[in-house]
Amino acid sequence: MELNLYNTLSRKKEIFTPIEETVRIYSCGPTVYSFAHIGNFRAYIFMDTLRRVLKYNGYKLKHVMNITDVGHLESDADEGEDKIAKAAKKENKDPDEIAKYYTDIFLRDLDRLNIDRPEIICKATEHIQEMIEYVSDIVKNGYGYETSRGIYFDISKLDKYPVLSDRKVDEQIAGARVEVDKEKRNPEDFALWIKAPEKHLMKWDSPWGLCYPGWHIECSAMSNKYLGEQFDIHTGGVDHIPTHHENEIAQSKGRCGKIPARFWMHCNFLTIDGGKMSKSLGNIYTLDTLKEKNIDPLSYKLFCFSSHYRNKLNFTFEGAISNNTSLMRLREGYRKHLNGEEEVDKETIDKFETKFHEAINDDLNMPIAISVVWDVIRYPKKSKDLAKLLLKFDEVLGLKIDEEIKEEIELPKEILELVEKRKEARENKDWELSDKIRDILKEKGYIIKDSKNRYANRKSIK
Ligand code: AMP
Ligand code: ZN
């Protein structure tokens, strides 16, 4: 079946076929100066889904993701302090310690989200030599020049800049807040390699003295090392389009004349109250914040599937909590089919499979794919073949649909006490208090449902 993916470069959906047999992908990874938040993880859930969809279509993958442990300055426009160095000073630790600590937590969180790890995960600080060689090649080819601050890329040497975004360079300059560096040949020229001030924490010897890398060069050097001059897909968040990816393309054109990837795919933002969730705005939640509210990381993954990756998705705790219940229903539905003895004809099963496959191959349309999953779950005849089909779908979803559901699990004492208090309130016909307690429970991640049969589990109490 044809696989269509939206390509930011051509601004349209294109049929995907790999350059060689194995699909080569590069994903921009995290800057490890702090905890990754659930907005960041939306981008990695998208990356995971892309991997899984490609595998579902029978492709083998060679996928690289970088860990930025140096060179990402506070502003994408080469201004401000290095984020890792700043965190190191603030926490009174070595930059290495900071990077290792947050990398380990990031990788642990990828596992909690059942994100299929890229084949190669590589750190910027372990590829300094490759970066120096890359910068040297750019300079040799006449696309780079030296100033008192570092080595800059001369964008006027390119046939076209920008190519990914439609931002107007002149408008950007007119509206820019940063002071224009008079040594730069063009205001939009960006730093490839930066000369380190004396007290700078992370710096390396190079043909231009003690320096540290500009942010964009690491991705060019590492993608070139592991995937070659041109590979299949490059992924990232929409915020990478105007600067980071634009400059990666410029660097690659300056070094070898090629745009490094054929497909450029970008995940849109997770928003909160309509605005972007971001560390600098201080409106972030982590997987641990969700855990405090008893929201399973995989429920968050399911929540992300409610919107297409190219659309914004607004986060609410209510939405995430309701996905806790949905995940439980999915697993219950799977068990019902697994224990079912009824026959379902092959034609029906094939129809479901085709609909699911069409949805994921239509630029990873997960909201439609999930609706097919629900159709299978709700199918009136309960059959082992449908359970098998759901397991196959889960190769793409990665929701651990066959995980055991704990029918009766121990509820925390505090929750049991609240349930008891609410029961008393109801017996006393104190509806106001009863409703108040129900709201408190909901806030803590427990949905209470009144029914004749008492049945409790972590996410819903009946
Ligand atoms: P960073 O660690 O800041 O370099 O970001 C890591 C990844 O998370 C990048 O791909 C960003 O595009 C992405 N990202 C950052 N904030 C959000 C957000 N609110 N929603 C979705 N993706 C985000
Ligand atoms: Zn990158």
Side-chain angles (χ1 to χ4, degrees), residues 26-29 66 68 215-216 218-220 234-235 240 244-245 248:
Y26 186 90
S27 295
C28 287
N66 67 304
T68 301
W215 176 33
H216 323 296
E218 63 171 282
C219 291
S220 291
H234 196 311
T235 79
H240 287 147
H244 184 51
H245 287 175
E248 266 189 58

Side-chain angles (χ1 to χ4, degrees), residues 1-203:
M1 190 186 293
E2 231 172 53
L3 171 59
N4 284 283
L5 299 174
Y6 182 84
N7 188 353
T8 309
L9 194 59
S10 62
R11 295 168 180 78
K12 58 176 196 279
K13 278 190 216 171
E14 290 178 39
I15 299 173
F16 176 78
T17 45
I19 302 169
E20 289 169 8
E21 211 180 312
T22 299
V23 179
R24 285 169 292 152
I25 315 167
Y26 186 90
S27 295
C28 287
T31 306
V32 282
Y33 68 105
S34 176
F35 297 103
H37 56 76
I38 57 172
N40 300 133
F41 283 115
R42 184 181 186 210
Y44 301 113
I45 288 171
F46 150 69
M47 174 190 93
D48 175 59
T49 309
L50 174 66
R51 280 182 63 82
R52 290 169 177 273
V53 167
L54 287 162
K55 282 186 175 177
Y56 195 91
N57 281 278
Y59 291 118
K60 286 204 179 66
L61 311 182
K62 183 172 182 190
H63 181 187
V64 178
M65 179 179 69
N66 67 304
I67 301 278
T68 301
D69 54 357
V70 69
H72 195 169
L73 304 189
E74 285 169 282
S75 129
D76 287 358
D78 307 326
E79 294 296 323
E81 254 189 282
D82 182 298
K83 291 185 183 189
I84 310 273
K86 190 176 174 193
K89 277 190 218 152
K90 195 169 147 217
E91 297 190 28
N92 207 13
K93 291 195 177 118
D94 273 348
D96 286 359
E97 263 179 277
I98 292 287
K100 183 172 179 341
Y101 179 74
Y102 290 113
T103 302
D104 288 349
I105 291 176
F106 172 75
L107 295 174
R108 180 205 65 188
D109 283 352
L110 286 190
D111 291 345
R112 280 162 142 189
L113 288 160
N114 196 21
I115 287 175
D116 201 20
R117 285 199 196 180
E119 283 68 30
I120 297 169
I121 298 181
C122 47
K123 295 179 186 166
T125 50
E126 289 172 4
H127 295 79
I128 297 295
Q129 196 48 40
E130 286 83 348
M131 292 191 228
I132 292 175
E133 282 164 24
Y134 206 105
V135 175
S136 302
D137 285 347
I138 292 175
V139 174
K140 229 186 289 159
N141 291 344
Y143 287 84
Y145 61 95
E146 187 171 356
T147 75
S148 61
R149 286 187 72 190
I151 309 300
Y152 280 80
F153 191 96
D154 183 348
I155 60 145
S156 68
K157 294 275 155 62
L158 295 165
D159 55 339
K160 194 169 179 251
Y161 181 91
V163 294
L164 256 192
S165 55
D166 45 17
R167 83 179 148 99
K168 303 271 180 304
V169 170
D170 292 345
E171 273 173 21
Q172 165 100 5
I173 296 159
R177 280 169 294 140
V178 286
E179 225 178 277
V180 178
D181 176 349
K182 296 212 169 58
E183 285 183 77
K184 289 205 298 190
R185 292 183 189 165
N186 312 286
E188 282 279 301
D189 288 354
F190 58 89
L192 297 165
W193 201 243
I194 305 168
K195 293 180 184 169
E198 207 176 316
K199 287 205 174 125
H200 197 83
L201 282 178
M202 288 181 283
K203 52 192 168 197

Side-chain angles (χ1 to χ4, degrees), residues 62 126-127 130 134 220-229:
K62 183 172 182 190
E126 289 172 4
H127 295 79
E130 286 83 348
Y134 206 105
S220 291
M222 291 192 274
S223 64
N224 179 56
K225 172 174 176 170
Y226 296 107
L227 303 174
E229 286 176 353

Side-chain angles (χ1 to χ4, degrees), residues 38 41-42 44-46 48-49 52 110-116 287 290 295-307 313 320 323 327 366 370 394-400:
I38 57 172
F41 283 115
R42 184 181 186 210
Y44 301 113
I45 288 171
F46 150 69
D48 175 59
T49 309
R52 290 169 177 273
L110 286 190
D111 291 345
R112 280 162 142 189
L113 288 160
N114 196 21
I115 287 175
D116 201 20
L287 287 187
L290 298 194
I295 299 166
D296 191 311
L298 295 182
S299 307
Y300 174 65
K301 195 178 198 184
L302 181 58
F303 171 75
C304 287
F305 294 153
S306 64
S307 168
L313 172 62
N323 273 276
L327 181 62
M366 297 310 286
I370 287 289
D394 201 39
E395 286 168 21
V396 173
L397 310 172
L399 291 172
K400 299 191 177 172

